[in-house]
Amino acid sequence: TMMNIIGCLDRPTSGSYFFEGRDVARLAEPELADIRSNRIGFVFQSFNLIPRMSALTNVELPLAYAGIKPAIRRARARAALATVGLADREDHEPNQLSGGQQQRVAVARALASRPEIIFADEPTGNLDSRAGAEVLTFMRRAVNEMGQTIVMVTHDPIAAAYADRIVFLADGRIVD
């Protein structure tokens, strides 16, 4: 719930949430869509890749929705796939990729729009430990080299160890 609200996917039913000084509950859907397209990236546990599209097209898709011109979005998508070590897999569809590779495509998709914030919901939950470490390493590089902020929800203490700051929640409240 917290991730959906701070990611502008849902509106709070009580209380207030301000994104860059604007009350999210008062924003119209087009304004929320603009924030999601241009300011926020998402990495989901279940990858959310479109099955019949290549890795490159999956990475390009949010850029198309954001109105980025085709040549620029293709270049950004290729650069993002290279960043996660999948330049040689750009023509592969999700069913031709391992789970770790699919999640790396999802990370590339989040990186390609160059958002200030990436929300990652259990990004290693469906991966073995090696693939999970690779994904977390790419996300850590996004923070260190590109200055992006990543907010990650995880139950995995190994994944949490990649973070600069850890906040523990219990029953919707910060406990530590």
Side-chain angles (χ1 to χ4, degrees), residues 2 40 51 53 59 84 93 98 102 117 127 135-136 163 166 169:
M2 180 193 74
I40 296 173
M53 290 183 154
V59 174
V84 299
E93 292 179 358
S98 69
Q102 289 180 56
I117 303 169
L127 305 178
V135 166
L136 291 166
I166 300 172
L169 298 176

Side-chain angles (χ1 to χ4, degrees), residues 2 4 8 10 24 39 42 45 49 57 66 70 89 92 101 112 119 153-154 167 169 175:
M2 180 193 74
N4 285 349
C8 297
D10 291 336
V24 169
R39 312 305 296 275
F42 295 94
Q45 178 178 358
L49 301 177
T57 306
R89 299 277 194 258
H92 289 67
Q101 290 171 328
F119 294 107
V153 171
T154 186
V167 177
L169 298 176
V175 295

Side-chain angles (χ1 to χ4, degrees), residues 123-158:
T124 61
N126 287 331
L127 305 178
D128 63 40
S129 58
R130 186 177 142 267
E134 288 174 349
V135 166
L136 291 166
T137 298
F138 291 121
M139 291 171 62
R140 183 75 238 177
R141 278 201 347 231
V143 171
N144 293 344
E145 296 173 12
M146 295 180 253
Q148 290 170 305
T149 297
I150 297 178
V151 177
M152 176 174 57
V153 171
T154 186
H155 293 89
D156 180 0
I158 294 169

Side-chain angles (χ1 to χ4, degrees), residues 10-90:
D10 291 336
R11 297 171 194 261
T13 54
S14 64
S16 300
Y17 168 52
F18 289 81
F19 185 88
E20 296 180 336
R22 298 185 296 173
D23 185 351
V24 169
R26 298 184 189 277
L27 296 178
E29 185 52 41
E31 293 171 294
L32 292 171
D34 182 62
I35 290 170
R36 289 189 302 265
S37 291
N38 297 302
R39 312 305 296 275
I40 296 173
F42 295 94
V43 178
F44 301 97
Q45 178 178 358
S46 58
F47 318 137
N48 288 349
L49 301 177
I50 298 174
R52 297 284 181 233
M53 290 183 154
S54 69
L56 183 64
T57 306
N58 266 286
V59 174
E60 280 185 280
L61 191 59
L63 300 173
Y65 288 135
I68 308 260
K69 294 182 189 224
I72 295 170
R73 71 176 178 244
R74 173 90 12 142
R76 278 196 195 177
R78 282 196 166 120
L81 285 169
T83 297
V84 299
L86 291 177
D88 62 336
R89 299 277 194 258
E90 72 176 34

